[in-house]
């Protein structure tokens, strides 16, 4: 992924926490991108349920904890 593409994603993200960009999709799901390792992605529901991911188990655990602590900020911003 090009640096310009990463910058665009970061600029459009609803929030960035610990290097993960959280962006709301048109279908209401949340797309999460590890800005430091852009090949690591996750798609979740607003309640934190994983829809799809290519992250390994340790990173999934980290991102789920970030979600648990921060997703309410996305709900409040609407």
């Amino acid at each position: 992924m090009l640096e310009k593409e990463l910058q665009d994603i970061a600029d459009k993200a609803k929030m960035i926490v610990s290097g993960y960009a959280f962006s709301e999709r048109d279908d209401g799901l949340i797309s999460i991108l590890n800005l430091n390792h852009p090949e690591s992605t996750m798609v979740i529901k607003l309640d934190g349920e994983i829809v799809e991911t290519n992250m390994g188990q340790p990173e999934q655990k980290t991102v789920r904890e970030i979600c648990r602590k921060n997703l309410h900020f996305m709900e409040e911003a609407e």
Side-chain angles (χ1 to χ4, degrees):
M1 188 171 288
L2 300 173
E3 189 172 328
K4 169 89 171 93
E5 290 175 291
L6 283 176
Q7 186 63 53
D8 288 345
I9 291 169
D11 289 344
K12 293 176 184 172
K14 267 204 143 164
M15 71 177 181
I16 297 175
V17 180
S18 299
Y20 293 92
F22 291 73
S23 302
E24 190 167 9
R25 298 180 357 171
D26 291 338
D27 59 7
L29 297 174
I30 306 298
S31 179
I32 304 169
L33 175 71
N34 182 336
L35 295 170
N36 296 310
H37 300 282
E39 66 282 353
S40 292
T41 62
M42 182 182 285
V43 177
I44 61 168
K45 295 180 180 180
L46 199 52
D47 66 3
E49 179 185 338
I50 296 174
V51 175
E52 63 184 66
T53 186
N54 66 355
M55 294 178 180
Q57 289 295 327
E59 187 173 20
Q60 284 182 36
K61 183 178 178 183
T62 299
V63 173
R64 291 189 71 149
E65 183 64 16
I66 291 170
C67 290
R68 187 185 67 74
K69 291 180 179 178
N70 295 284
L71 277 183
H72 66 279
F73 291 117
M74 289 187 73
E75 292 173 332
E76 292 171 4
E78 298 195 15

